[in-house]
Amino acid sequence: MSDTLRDAVVEPVRDAVPFLVITALWVVVMVVLYGLFLATKPGDITYDAWVHATVFVVPAIGFLGQILQQALSG
């Protein structure tokens, strides 16, 4: 592999690893907290779909914003 190709491939991957690790950890924490939320709610209460969606949509917006930032800076 030539040095130019190596720099073009290895550097972006190396830069993306911390972001991917943080994202994976955040997804695990989010799912655990959401599970606790569902496990501890009283049985006679039901939530609308928007309540459940906010658990995943809000972090997804931040995730997509970070991806956009990485794409524009690279």
Side-chain angles (χ1 to χ4, degrees):
M1 198 183 305
S2 69
D3 288 336
T4 306
L5 181 58
R6 181 174 298 137
D7 291 341
V9 173
V10 173
E11 290 299 320
V13 170
R14 188 179 307 151
D15 291 342
V17 168
F19 171 67
L20 294 174
V21 169
I22 291 169
T23 301
L25 289 173
W26 178 247
V27 167
V28 168
V29 167
M30 185 175 59
V31 168
V32 167
L33 290 176
Y34 184 62
L36 288 172
F37 169 75
L38 290 178
T40 59
K41 76 176 185 72
D44 59 339
I45 294 178
T46 57
Y47 296 106
D48 291 334
W50 70 269
V51 175
H52 299 288
T54 58
V55 173
F56 299 103
V57 171
V58 174
I61 292 169
F63 177 72
L64 292 174
Q66 180 67 24
I67 291 174
L68 179 62
Q69 179 185 11
Q70 289 290 329
L72 293 176
S73 69

